[in-house]
Amino acid sequence: MFGSIFYNFWFALAGFTIYFFARFQSNQPPLTTILYGLMWAAIAFIVAYIVRTLIAYIIATPSDQLEQPDEGVESGIEAIAKEERSSEESLPSPEPTVEFSDEQSEEIAKAIQTMMQDEK
């Protein structure tokens, strides 16, 4: 709901005030003027509630153009699936990028063994 209930009370106060001052100098008894003023305050309170509900509905409801994509535009789900597929294809493979020959791997192993022996 848009706004707070205080807007309803302000509308009710305005409705009562307008009716009261419009009928203040009439020949009606004061109690009748006050009761009709309260009736108009209640009507203004309900109208304010309806107006607040309509404003909240208008703000919360997206336009039709946002809900229905054009024919040339993909739907959101299709676009997400396509993006996931392309990101999976671009991921690097788990295989190492640099190929080591057997000779190099033996040399690396010997270097590691000598380092480990030096630490002892």
Side-chain angles (χ1 to χ4, degrees):
M1 174 106 17
F2 182 78
S4 67
I5 196 162
F6 290 115
Y7 288 118
N8 294 48
F9 289 126
W10 281 110
F11 269 75
L13 182 63
F16 177 83
T17 304
I18 290 170
Y19 183 83
F20 183 79
F21 285 121
R23 297 293 177 182
F24 185 66
Q25 294 295 326
S26 68
N27 291 333
Q28 292 179 342
L31 183 61
T32 306
T33 304
I34 292 173
L35 288 177
Y36 277 115
L38 291 174
M39 179 189 71
W40 280 105
I43 291 171
F45 186 89
I46 294 169
V47 167
Y49 178 78
I50 293 169
V51 167
R52 286 177 49 217
T53 304
L54 287 175
I55 291 172
Y57 178 75
I58 291 168
I59 290 174
T61 305
S63 67
D64 293 338
Q65 293 174 351
L66 294 177
E67 289 180 9
Q68 299 176 0
D70 295 335
E71 292 179 14
V73 179
E74 297 176 351
S75 70
I77 296 171
E78 292 174 1
I80 292 171
K82 191 178 205 180
E83 184 178 317
E84 286 177 357
R85 277 187 255 124
S86 66
S87 66
E88 289 174 0
E89 292 172 359
S90 66
L91 290 176
S93 62
E95 301 173 7
T97 56
V98 178
E99 296 294 328
F100 294 110
S101 66
D102 290 333
E103 295 174 1
Q104 288 179 344
S105 59
E106 288 177 6
E107 290 176 10
I108 293 172
K110 286 180 185 177
I112 292 174
Q113 286 176 354
T114 56
M115 283 191 267
M116 291 175 65
Q117 289 175 357
D118 290 341
E119 288 179 3
K120 291 182 184 180

